Amino acid sequence: MKSSIKDVVGEMVTPFLEENHMELVDVEYVKEGSNWFLRVYVDKEGGIDIEDCGRVSEFLSAQLDERDPIPSAYFLEVSSPGAERPLKKPRDYERAVGKHVLVTVYEPVDGLKEFEGTLTSYDETGLAVAIGQKTYRIPADKVASARLAIVF
């Protein structure tokens, strides 16, 4: 049921976001303690601000009240994906080429399950991450998660 709520919310908010030159990064519907949270992460060129989040929240809140796709009480949160933005869609990966990333895999690739380095290439078959002088080729079907990473 959780994935259907994510899909419904994504379909509901995407046209509004596109009209306002924003994009949907991710939707989470999670239980924390005794509370449910519907988290919607949005972004746009140059980043989003509190006013953008407020406009999306107002629009989505009205749509959710009208269509009522979620049976239980929940908290709606709209925010930026942050500096360590997850990479989910092909476009996310394409924009991240040349940037510092953290990639985890389902099973070891060249003996490693975590790769933190520069994303050097991406296509539908997989991606390449350079760590120091070595570049690792990671098949797309082995990627568990990927995100931008901040270098300290």
Side-chain angles (χ1 to χ4, degrees), residues 23-28 39-43 77-81:
E23 69 173 309
L24 180 63
V25 175
D26 199 11
V27 176
E28 293 178 343
R39 293 191 177 109
V40 179
Y41 298 95
V42 298
D43 206 359
E77 297 177 355
V78 176
S79 69
S80 159

Side-chain angles (χ1 to χ4, degrees), residues 49-64:
D49 57 29
I50 193 81
E51 287 82 19
D52 294 324
C53 290
R55 288 194 348 256
V56 174
S57 182
E58 284 177 29
F59 169 82
L60 192 52
S61 187
Q63 292 293 307
L64 290 164

